[in-house]
Amino acid sequence: MIQEVAQIEYNTERPKLIIPEYGRHIQKMVDQAIATEDRDERNKIAKSIIAVMGNLNPHLRDVPDFQPMLWDQLFIISDFKLDVDSPFPIPSREELMERPEPLEYPQNFPKYRFYGNNIKRMIDVANSWEEGDKKEGLILTIANHMKKCFLNWNKDTVEDDVIFGHLFELSDGKINLKNSDEDLSDASNLLKTKKRFNTNNSGKKNYKSNSNSNSNNNRNRKRY
């Protein structure tokens, strides 16, 4: 019994897996391919390993770069010691260890941040439209949305002239509602929230009324 326990192989004593997702059997198959001296036989073993790796990821079969990815992972698992004829360019250790270039995020620094960046995009779209009722409706919608954003940032009331001035400034003077007769929506309508109907309370009331009516009927019922 003691000898059998001594022969047990623990994972802590085994070599570390390079890509643990494929398991130890794939690692052993790759090691066998590396140890194979005949190049033709080694190429056959490599193709068999690729087929098994593909079966382990059936959800990625429709991905365009699926096969190149498998071959890259095969060389990574072999620690770049596998010498076979790959149908794709063989990556180098330096290419995989190279850090990607930092991703540049778009930086916007609007003057009135409480309006958000989408307002500026909406204003640019309105400026690109031809004059007409459709453009006027869009401009009025933008102004109302700006007023709502302003009230969310500052709960106090805001005059329409302030919104018209900001709209004129953000549109580079192309949209001018300062001297117009347009009136924006009231602050109460813009910040109005919908009341939720509490079904639980109504259900409890109905249950109580039904129970009271049943108890009254039981009291009025004559005994024989």
Side-chain angles (χ1 to χ4, degrees):
M1 184 67 180
I2 297 176
Q3 294 179 355
E4 294 179 356
V5 173
Q7 293 177 357
I8 296 177
E9 186 180 8
Y10 295 95
N11 284 331
T12 55
E13 300 175 353
R14 295 175 177 177
K16 184 178 179 181
L17 294 176
I18 299 177
I19 302 181
E21 289 79 0
Y22 285 107
R24 192 164 298 277
H25 293 294
I26 293 293
Q27 184 72 54
K28 291 182 178 181
M29 293 171 65
V30 174
D31 295 339
Q32 181 182 356
I34 296 173
T36 302
E37 297 181 357
D38 186 27
R39 187 177 185 84
D40 294 335
E41 185 66 22
R42 197 164 57 241
N43 287 328
K44 293 180 181 179
I45 297 175
K47 293 179 181 179
S48 300
I49 297 173
I50 290 295
V52 176
M53 293 171 62
N55 292 332
L56 294 175
N57 298 285
H59 59 285
L60 297 177
R61 289 186 179 275
D62 296 332
V63 178
D65 297 334
F66 181 57
Q67 287 294 324
M69 180 189 68
L70 292 180
W71 282 94
D72 291 346
Q73 291 176 346
L74 176 62
F75 290 110
I76 294 172
I77 294 174
S78 67
D79 197 19
F80 300 95
K81 298 177 182 178
L82 183 61
D83 184 15
V84 293
D85 299 328
S86 173
F88 306 100
I90 301 176
S92 62
R93 190 189 303 271
E94 291 74 15
E95 292 177 353
L96 297 176
M97 296 300 295
E98 184 180 356
R99 298 184 62 181
E101 297 181 358
L103 182 63
E104 296 182 359
Y105 289 93
Q107 298 293 334
N108 295 318
F109 302 98
K111 183 177 181 180
Y112 306 106
R113 293 191 175 184
F114 45 85
Y115 289 136
N117 294 323
N118 289 332
I119 286 293
K120 179 59 178 174
R121 298 188 183 99
M122 294 169 65
I123 292 174
D124 294 339
V125 171
N127 288 330
S128 63
W129 286 8
E130 297 180 356
E131 298 295 334
D133 296 337
K134 188 176 180 180
K135 181 177 180 178
E136 292 178 0
L138 177 59
I139 292 174
L140 190 60
T141 302
I142 294 172
N144 279 305
H145 188 67
M146 290 174 62
K147 185 174 182 179
K148 182 178 180 179
C149 294
F150 190 99
L151 292 172
N152 288 329
W153 170 70
N154 186 359
K155 296 299 181 182
D156 297 335
T157 57
V158 58
E159 298 294 335
D160 293 349
D161 294 338
V162 176
I163 302 299
F164 294 157
H166 292 170
L167 181 59
F168 180 81
E169 184 177 356
L170 294 176
S171 65
D172 298 330
K174 297 179 181 179
I175 300 177
N176 188 2
L177 297 179
K178 295 181 179 180
N179 298 324
S180 64
D181 297 333
E182 296 289 348
D183 292 330
L184 300 179
S185 300
D186 295 334
S188 58
N189 294 330
L190 292 174
L191 299 179
K192 182 170 59 175
T193 57
K194 296 182 180 180
K195 295 182 180 180
R196 295 182 179 179
F197 180 73
N198 193 347
T199 56
N200 295 330
N201 294 334
S202 61
K204 290 180 180 179
K205 290 180 180 179
N206 293 332
Y207 174 76
K208 290 181 179 180
S209 61
N210 292 333
S211 61
N212 292 334
S213 61
N214 292 332
S215 61
N216 293 333
N217 293 333
N218 292 332
R219 291 176 183 176
N220 296 331
R221 184 178 300 172
K222 294 181 180 181
R223 296 182 179 178
Y224 297 98

